[in-house]
């Protein structure tokens, strides 16, 4: 008998079974997630490699067979069935949108000149669908973006989930070059992005207006020539300066004054050198009225500094010459170059040079020791420059095509390469086949006089194989860094070359047919594999002096495309994996799982021994093992390593920096960037470098070479290298107790193990040494102490020098606090960003700070972060990374400093703050006591590393901020103020005993 159905009492039934509704909701959520996952998997199948391959076979066949009108009807019918919206306004209320950002500042006017390319880069993706085609719309005219949806490993964040449901931001990078032909008057164009999506619909987003101007108006020009001499051509020498070595600068000025050709003026444009150096520049050039000195209002960098120098030239100039600040011109340099301008089509002349060591000794009477010269073949010149700027003289009539210099965000361009390409496109280049000046460098590693081996086919093929292994799902843990390295290489080589060719083609519409064909072909270099293959074959057959750039073009393009496809195919899995890491939310099972071996494989690569090529014929060196050269992380630790290398080199040792981790290996670029750092300008000229991240590349060593480790992983490498040479110990520059950098785990254990290897210790500060001694670590362990001779060395990392304006300090009314704020937990957790921020909030919450009279700024981060709220009316404004000179300039403008580090090392930043006159709060730790920190400076208040401890330190500091006399006295630190004092003669002698020479 069927059971009767009872009436359903909703209210009572829910009261009787309170968990039923929760169970039903959970089941509904599970089914919904399952449906969503199934839909994503179906979309993955539709966009899979096999499906795309089939589509690429059938689509051309269909286009060939089916008539055009019929194809249009079919397309309209399919789109009608799919219900594809035409634009975002027709989609209704669903939250689908185009997300974008661009790197360029569109508010800055863009100078067109005879024609120019506007380099536009950024990120663009759709919240739901993939982008099939991307265009930039310029006043209604579409410009197709070839390079879009490129891999961008860092674009997805936890915040991205609000708009990026399927991980499309992982394939969102784009760049393009917008062509603007010559204009006669300023005008404004409107820019927007238009994306064609997978479903056939389009989305568009307005970027904003871009103001075009015909030419930049230079407000001032250098004083014109003396009218008394009209028989000789007028030559303007353009010299760009920045903190030049004064002895070499004075020598260069003397050589210019001593030219046999006399009708010249020299325009010197200084790029914000230190005030004392600028005063010396003015004094040195005062001997001759033909020098014209100008100074930039802000740092421009060498490339734009040379550009501005050209703009300052008197309008009556007939010839222009580039000059470096520290070479030496022979007396007939100008005369010999000018003599080569007999033919009217000769646009530029350059010469050979002597290569001189630091002491002036000539080590080579030609630049062309490792590669052939080229000044006739435009193809070869576009690929690799052979024209050195310091030797160049060119016709002033070339300026209309030279200016403005082309610019690419994030990519270095070179004034001499650009000038040479312009000259050879317009006419011919002349060459004086003898040295006309001395290029002042060190014989071991001469910047510009490169002895680098050319890129070769097999190593690049191995790199492609690595990328292919990631693409096929057999990664060994090098994916993200490998992507970043080759993405940078792709922009620096094929993209840059194509960009230069594009600007040349715009500016030289009257170039010969042969050269226009070359420029049109090279414009396709960044995306055309056939063009790259042809150029690679030419390099092999003709042995062109391009250092194998063709192989780099080919390999970087293939690898970037492999990464693009990998990130597009795996975007959902990558998004889920990253979201699980940052938000700790359980994730759904994915079609493919991340490779668990990646974390394991990282350690063998980090600790892999260097392959040594041991030979008595190799010169004996001191090898300083460092992680990388990256100016994003050029903090006190790296400055210590580089100064150590320089001081050892100047003490008679042959020194080599051996780089063991992946980095953008470019000593020429480093040499320019290091000029910002006091005393280190010549380090990459006087110290050799070697790049051994690829451990299959052997390092040539002498059996008596010495090794100095600078971190725990380089200690592992130095230990293995020393053993291979039969040596008992290596030297170890210990700048912190490095296990504290990590949570308890594998890396902590390996960092701790590094101190167990037999070594000579060089401790950065006595506090750090005392910590090792107290805890019987390293050379103070029982095992090491038995053989301890000679004893450890203790140094002090130099503190910056600051100019404090006492009058400004006394009349200052609005106060400012600066916090060494480093939120990047992966690298800087020991700087306790959270604890410092919470202490600031507590001090504000209790009313100790008047938010109307105080500003709060954060410095030190290597990335961009939003401001952090501290109270209802105060925030911690995160400042972008400051260069060293700007850091030295702005720090004395603050009153209170906060800098924390959970370490026995005192850290250099609080010492810098104290030296700049700030009342500075820092923390204690073990041997880093409040008493020892106060001995360094009375401006330093060291407190316990707790929220209450730091808050009370801030309150105490507030009571001392108005004591100007105390702050000025505290700025005189009991500490090293120069690297010469850090590595003085006694320290170098002690290091010599370690090295054993």
């Amino acid at each position: 008998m069927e059971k009767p159905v009872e009436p359903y009492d909703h209210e009572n039934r829910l009261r009787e079974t309170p968990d039923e509704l929760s169970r039903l909701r959970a089941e509904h959520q599970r089914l919904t997630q399952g449906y969503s996952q199934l839909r994503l998997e179906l979309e993955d199948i539709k966009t899979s490699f096999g499906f795309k391959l089939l589509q690429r076979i059938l689509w051309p066949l269909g286009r060939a067979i089916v008539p055009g009108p019929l194809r249009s009807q079919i397309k309209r019918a399919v789109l009608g069935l799919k219900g594809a919206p035409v634009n975002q306004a027709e989609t209704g209320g669903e939250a689908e949108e185009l997300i974008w950002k661009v790197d360029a500042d569109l508010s800055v006017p863009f100078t067109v000149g005879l024609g120019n390319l506007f380099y536009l880069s950024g990120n663009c993706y759709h919240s739901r669908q993939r982008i099939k085609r991307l265009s930039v719309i310029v006043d209604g005219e579409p410009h197709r973006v070839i390079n879009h949806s490129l891999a961008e490993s860092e674009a997805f964040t936890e915040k991205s989930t609000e708009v990026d449901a399927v991980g499309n931001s992982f394939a969102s990078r784009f760049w393009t070059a917008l062509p603007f032909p010559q204009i006669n008057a300023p005008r404004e164009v409107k820019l927007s992005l238009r994306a064609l999506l997978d479903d056939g619909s389009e989305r568009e987003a307005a970027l904003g207006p871009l103001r075009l101007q015909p030419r930049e108006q230079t407000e001032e020009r250098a004083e014109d020539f003396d009218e008394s001499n009209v028989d000789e051509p007028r030559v303007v020498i353009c010299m760009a300066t920045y903190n030049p070595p004064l002895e070499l600068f004075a020598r260069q000025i003397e050589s210019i004054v001593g030219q046999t050709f006399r009708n010249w003026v020299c325009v010197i444009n200084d790029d914000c050198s230190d005030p004392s150096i600028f005063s010396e520049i003015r004094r040195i050039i005062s001997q001759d009225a033909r020098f014209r000195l100008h100074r930039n209002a802000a740092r421009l960098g060498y490339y734009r500094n040379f550009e501005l120098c050209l703009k300052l030239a008197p309008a009556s100039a007939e010839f222009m010459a580039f000059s470096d600040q520290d070479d030496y011109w022979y007396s007939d340099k100008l005369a010999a170059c000018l003599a080569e301008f007999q033919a009217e089509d000769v646009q530029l002349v350059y010469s050979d040079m002597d290569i001189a060591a630091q002491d002036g000794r000539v080590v080579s009477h030609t630049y062309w020791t490792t590669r052939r010269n080229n000044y006739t073949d435009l193809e070869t010149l576009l690929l690799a420059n052979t024209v050195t700027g310091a030797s160049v003289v060119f016709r002033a009539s070339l300026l209309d095509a030279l200016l403005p210099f082309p610019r690419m965000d994030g990519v270095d361009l070179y004034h001499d390469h650009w000038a040479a390409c312009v000259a050879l496109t317009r006419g011919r280049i002349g060459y004086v086949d003898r040295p006309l000046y001395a290029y002042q460098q060190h014989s071991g590693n001469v910047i510009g006089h490169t002895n680098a081996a050319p890129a070769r086919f097999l190593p690049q093929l191995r790199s492609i194989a690595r990328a292919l292994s990631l693409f096929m799902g057999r990664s060994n843990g090098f994916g993200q860094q490998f992507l970043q390295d080759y993405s940078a290489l792709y922009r620096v080589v094929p993209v840059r070359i194509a960009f230069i060719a594009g600007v040349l083609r715009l500016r030289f519409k009257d170039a010969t047919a042969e050269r226009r064909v070359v420029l049109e072909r090279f414009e396709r270099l960044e995306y055309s594999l056939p063009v790259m293959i042809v150029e690679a074959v030419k390099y092999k057959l003709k042995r062109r002096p391009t250092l194998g750039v063709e192989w780099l073009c080919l390999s970087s393009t293939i690898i970037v495309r492999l990464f693009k496809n990998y990130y597009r195919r795996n975007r959902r899995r990558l998004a889920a994996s990253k979201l699980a890491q940052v938000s700790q939310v359980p994730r759904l099972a994915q079609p493919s799982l991340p490779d668990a071996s990646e974390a394991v494989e990282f350690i063998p690569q980090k600790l892999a021994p260097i392959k040594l090529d041991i030979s008595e014929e190799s010169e004996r060196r001191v090898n300083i093992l460092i992680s990388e050269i990256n100016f994003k992380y050029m903090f006190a630790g790296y400055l210590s390593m580089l100064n150590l290398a320089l001081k050892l080199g100047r003490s008679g040792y042959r020194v080599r920096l051996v780089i063991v981790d992946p980095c953008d290996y470019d000593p020429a670029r480093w040499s320019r960037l290091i000029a910002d750092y006091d005393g280190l300008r010549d380090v990459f000229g006087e110290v050799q470098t070697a790049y051994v991240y690829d451990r299959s590349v052997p390092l040539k060593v002498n059996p008596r070479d010495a090794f100095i480790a600078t971190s725990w992983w380089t200690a592992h490498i130095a230990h293995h290298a020393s053993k291979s040479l039969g040596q008992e110990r290596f030297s170890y520059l210990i700048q912190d107790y490095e296990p504290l950098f990590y949570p308890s785990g594998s890396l902590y254990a390996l960092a701790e193990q590094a101190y167990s290897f037999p070594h000579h210790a060089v401790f950065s500060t006595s506090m750090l040494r005392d910590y090792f001694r107290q805890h019987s670590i390293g050379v103070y362990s029982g095992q090491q102490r038995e053989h301890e001779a000679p004893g450890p060395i203790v140094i002090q990392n130099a503190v910056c020098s600051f100019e404090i304006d006492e009058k400004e300090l006394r009349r200052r009314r609005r106060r400012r606090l600066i916090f060494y704020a480093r939120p990047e937990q992966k690298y800087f957790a020991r700087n306790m960003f959270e604890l410092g921020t919470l202490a600031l909030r507590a001090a504000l919450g209790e009313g100790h700070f008047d938010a109307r009279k105080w500003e709060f700024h954060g410095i030190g981060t290597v990335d961009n972060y939003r401001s952090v709220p501290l109270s209802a009316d105060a925030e911690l404004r995160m400042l972008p990374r400051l260069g060293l000179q700007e850091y030295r300039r702005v720090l004395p403008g603050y009153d209170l400093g906060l800098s924390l580090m959970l370490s026995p090392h005192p850290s250099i930043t609080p010492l810098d703050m104290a030296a700049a006159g700030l009342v500075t709060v820092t923390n204690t730790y073990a041997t880093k006591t409040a008493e020892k920190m106060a001995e360094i400076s009375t401006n330093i208040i060291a407190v316990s590393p707790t929220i209450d401890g730091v808050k009370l330190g801030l309150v105490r500091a507030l009571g001392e901020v108005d004591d100007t006399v105390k702050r000025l006295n505290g700025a005189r630190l009991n500490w090293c103020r120069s690297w010469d004092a850090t590595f003085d003669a006694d320290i170098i002698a002690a290091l010599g005993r370690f090295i054993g020479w």
Side-chain angles (χ1 to χ4, degrees), residues 303-566:
Y303 181 68
R304 293 184 60 196
N305 197 22
F306 267 115
E307 180 186 28
L308 183 53
C309 200
L310 292 177
K311 294 174 184 176
L312 290 169
S316 62
E318 296 171 75
F319 291 92
M320 312 290 295
F322 287 131
S323 171
D324 284 348
Q325 62 187 12
D326 51 7
D327 294 329
Y328 182 81
W329 286 12
Y330 300 150
S331 60
D332 64 338
K333 180 181 186 297
L334 286 178
C337 287
L338 290 170
E340 296 296 316
F341 285 95
Q342 299 301 320
E344 290 187 3
D345 63 341
V346 174
Q347 302 294 320
L348 178 148
V349 172
Y350 71 113
S351 71
D352 204 348
M353 70 189 79
D354 283 333
I355 308 299
Q358 182 73 17
D359 58 5
R361 177 175 48 89
V362 174
V363 296
S364 173
H365 287 292
T366 181
Y367 182 82
W368 309 109
T369 57
T370 58
R371 59 192 289 219
R372 288 184 291 110
N373 191 8
N374 163 67
Y375 54 93
T376 58
D377 182 50
L378 182 59
E379 284 191 25
T380 302
L381 189 64
L382 281 167
L383 289 165
N385 185 35
T386 50
V387 177
T388 52
S391 66
V392 161
V393 177
F394 61 90
R395 294 186 188 273
S397 58
L398 209 61
L399 286 175
D400 64 339
L402 266 177
L403 300 174
F405 283 6
R407 296 179 194 170
M408 293 177 65
D409 292 330
V411 177
D412 287 336
L413 301 177
Y414 303 94
H415 68 286
D416 48 8
H417 186 211
W418 171 239
C421 290
V422 168
L424 193 53
T425 305
R426 173 170 283 184
R428 289 194 298 123
I429 292 177
Y431 179 65
V432 180
D433 193 12
R434 63 184 175 88
L436 293 182
Y437 72 105
Y439 190 34
Q440 194 84 24
Q441 291 292 338
H442 184 272
S443 59
N445 182 28
V446 180
I447 303 304
H449 180 240
T450 179
N451 57 3
R456 299 192 182 279
F457 173 69
L458 287 179
Q460 296 307 314
L461 187 62
R462 283 197 293 268
S463 295
I464 293 173
R466 286 183 174 185
L468 190 60
S469 71
L470 176 66
F471 181 73
M472 301 299 291
R474 295 194 292 270
S475 166
N476 287 324
F478 49 75
Q480 186 168 314
Q481 184 62 52
F482 195 64
L483 164 65
Q484 292 171 355
D485 291 345
Y486 268 88
S487 292
L489 182 64
Y490 179 55
R491 291 193 300 274
V492 166
V493 185
V495 175
R496 176 182 59 84
I497 294 168
F499 184 77
I500 291 173
V503 178
L504 289 171
R505 194 170 71 86
L506 272 174
R507 296 191 185 180
F508 288 100
K509 294 182 172 60
D510 57 347
T512 64
E514 179 185 3
R515 286 172 181 170
R516 286 193 66 80
V517 167
V518 170
L519 296 176
E520 288 168 4
R521 186 169 74 254
F522 270 67
E523 268 194 291
R524 303 194 301 273
L525 187 67
E526 68 172 286
Y527 60 83
S528 175
L529 287 176
V531 171
M532 294 182 196
I533 292 169
V534 168
E535 295 304 320
V537 171
K538 285 183 179 180
Y539 168 70
K540 196 68 176 174
L541 294 179
K542 296 184 178 182
R543 299 292 178 184
R544 298 192 296 197
T546 56
L547 297 175
V549 164
E550 295 88 342
W551 295 127
L552 298 178
C553 289
L554 191 58
S555 63
S556 63
T557 303
I558 292 172
I559 289 169
V560 164
R561 290 188 182 185
L562 285 171
F563 271 105
K564 173 181 176 177
N565 282 283
Y566 171 78

Side-chain angles (χ1 to χ4, degrees), residues 72-175:
S72 299
Q73 292 179 19
I74 293 172
K75 187 174 182 179
R76 282 196 298 271
V78 171
L79 289 177
L81 288 172
K82 289 171 69 174
V86 176
N87 55 51
Q88 188 173 353
E90 297 175 6
T91 63
E94 188 175 355
E96 294 188 9
E97 56 181 322
L98 202 63
I99 295 93
W100 60 273
K101 72 176 183 68
V102 293
D103 302 324
D105 183 356
L106 299 181
S107 66
V108 177
F110 179 64
T111 306
V112 176
L114 294 182
N116 210 352
L117 291 179
F118 182 73
Y119 183 77
L120 185 67
S121 61
N123 294 80
C124 181
Y125 63 94
H126 187 261
S127 58
R128 297 284 176 180
Q129 300 182 58
R130 297 198 307 183
I131 295 174
K132 291 174 62 177
R133 185 171 65 241
L134 185 66
S135 302
V136 178
I137 311 302
V138 183
D139 275 352
E141 292 294 323
H143 174 86
R144 186 170 180 181
V145 178
I146 302 297
N147 273 317
H148 72 86
S149 301
L150 299 175
E152 179 76 310
S153 58
E154 296 299 321
F156 185 89
T157 63
E158 185 175 9
K159 185 73 174 175
S160 300
T161 56
E162 298 176 11
V163 290
D164 184 12
V166 292
N168 283 334
S169 57
F170 277 103
S172 62
R173 191 68 181 163
F174 79 90
W175 57 72

